[in-house]
Amino acid sequence: MKLSELAEKLSLKIASHTEGMNGNITGAYSSDLLSDVMANSKVGNVWITLQTHINIVAVASLKGLAGIIIVGNRQPQPETIEKAEAEKVTILTTSHTAYETAGQIYQILST
Amino acid sequence: MTPEINGNVEGSFQLIGGNFTNAGEASTQLKMKLFEFGVDDAIIRRAAIATFEAEMNVIIYAAAGQLHYYITPENIKIRVEDMGPGIEDIEQAMQEGYSTAPEWVREMGWGAGMGLPNMKRNSDEFMIESVVGEGTTVHMTINLNE
């Protein structure tokens, strides 16, 4: 499924790198521990987190993730957005919790 | 696929303790270099993750450090040396979940005690030397040919 389709179904707001919305997602990974994401997420996953600081961009970029969904109405910091544009990392936001977001994605991807 | 590396390529980066903003720069540049050489994607990712974790350790714990890489047609050798507090018990530090990171670093999602295990997991050879009060040096080798 394309990231854009998922974003539409979940009413996600785009915070950076709109071009990345055409990318395909292979699944999702939910974690707020950055080393855990690097160890256990898969290439092309969309990453669900409440972290908003600049280092999430490097994690997503180095791991080859499809995008980041920041939950709970949190907003990425300005320097995070700037870095994400430069590194071509798509960041989306939602008012829903990580639990709700993961649950919705799980349902969408398994049907 | 055989990477197109003619001769040996090396480079180094200075790392500054506490500089979270530039974290990942060295890993990103190494990643781009390996990409240019046509190295397999999965191997590039292993090198990038191992290097990024090593960068983070310098940024979190040390005053400063240096990352040096050496690429040959057979492998990538990465050496990261820092002027940091050193590690008292390396065996304990290698255990997943053990960390001495301060609270504010943990709130950023670092300091989960997974950095060193991640480096080891993504390397074919891993060696760590440390002197308390002087610093730590990590040596990692990642083979380019399966």
Side-chain angles (χ1 to χ4, degrees):
Chain A
M1 174 178 280
K2 279 191 173 183
L3 187 56
S4 57
E5 292 172 62
L6 185 77
E8 201 185 322
K9 285 181 200 284
L10 297 177
S11 308
L12 305 173
K13 291 196 180 73
I14 302 173
S16 75
H17 190 57
T18 310
E19 296 88 334
M21 297 296 282
N22 286 320
N24 279 310
I25 56 169
T26 55
Y29 194 76
S30 179
S31 178
D32 300 321
L33 298 177
L34 280 67
S35 292
D36 172 44
V37 176
M38 285 196 278
N40 297 312
S41 66
K42 302 277 187 294
V43 176
N45 279 180
V46 62
W47 171 23
I48 303 161
T49 185
L50 52 70
Q51 298 290 355
T52 59
H53 62 82
I54 191 164
N55 296 158
I56 61 173
V57 176
V59 170
S61 166
L62 293 172
K63 186 74 193 191
L65 300 179
I68 305 169
I69 302 176
I70 298 177
V71 298
N73 243 344
R74 290 174 174 237
Q75 297 303 315
Q77 293 162 12
E79 59 172 12
T80 305
I81 295 175
E82 202 180 311
K83 179 100 174 174
E85 294 291 357
E87 297 282 327
K88 299 184 166 47
V89 170
T90 302
I91 300 178
L92 302 150
T93 62
T94 177
S95 58
H96 292 280
T97 64
Y99 167 69
E100 290 162 342
T101 306
Q104 284 175 322
I105 294 175
Y106 186 87
Q107 259 192 338
I108 290 166
L109 293 182
S110 54
T111 50
Chain B
M1 188 173 70
T2 312
E4 293 166 28
I5 301 165
N6 302 312
N8 303 331
V9 182
E10 60 185 317
S12 61
F13 299 92
Q14 297 299 326
L15 302 169
I16 316 256
N19 189 346
F20 284 82
T21 306
N22 288 337
E25 291 289 314
S27 320
T28 303
Q29 289 189 39
L30 178 63
K31 184 182 170 179
M32 289 189 320
K33 193 134 268 171
L34 295 172
F35 183 76
E36 278 172 35
F37 293 145
V39 173
D40 178 74
D41 279 355
I43 294 173
I44 294 178
R45 256 188 308 276
R46 285 174 55 210
I49 292 167
T51 311
F52 188 34
E53 290 283 15
E55 267 189 84
M56 286 316 303
N57 273 2
V58 175
I59 291 164
I60 293 168
Y61 297 102
Q66 194 185 40
L67 186 148
H68 182 265
Y69 66 83
Y70 189 79
I71 309 170
T72 70
E74 287 79 38
N75 58 37
I76 319 161
K77 286 188 189 299
I78 300 157
R79 185 184 72 236
V80 185
E81 36 194 344
D82 71 38
M83 290 177 279
I87 301 169
E88 230 160 277
D89 186 339
I90 291 177
E91 206 181 313
Q92 188 177 34
M94 288 303 301
Q95 282 172 20
E96 193 142 334
Y98 179 83
S99 175
T100 57
E103 189 55 35
W104 67 273
V105 169
R106 291 174 196 252
E107 279 171 16
M108 291 176 77
W110 295 114
M114 295 181 74
L116 290 173
N118 264 359
M119 287 180 228
K120 189 177 180 184
R121 192 180 298 129
N122 286 291
S123 307
D124 292 298
E125 284 171 50
F126 178 85
M127 210 254 287
I128 182 162
E129 303 166 281
S130 191
V131 178
V132 172
E134 288 184 21
T136 302
T137 303
V138 172
H139 303 265
M140 297 181 283
T141 303
I142 295 163
N143 297 332
L144 294 181
N145 307 299
E146 299 298 281

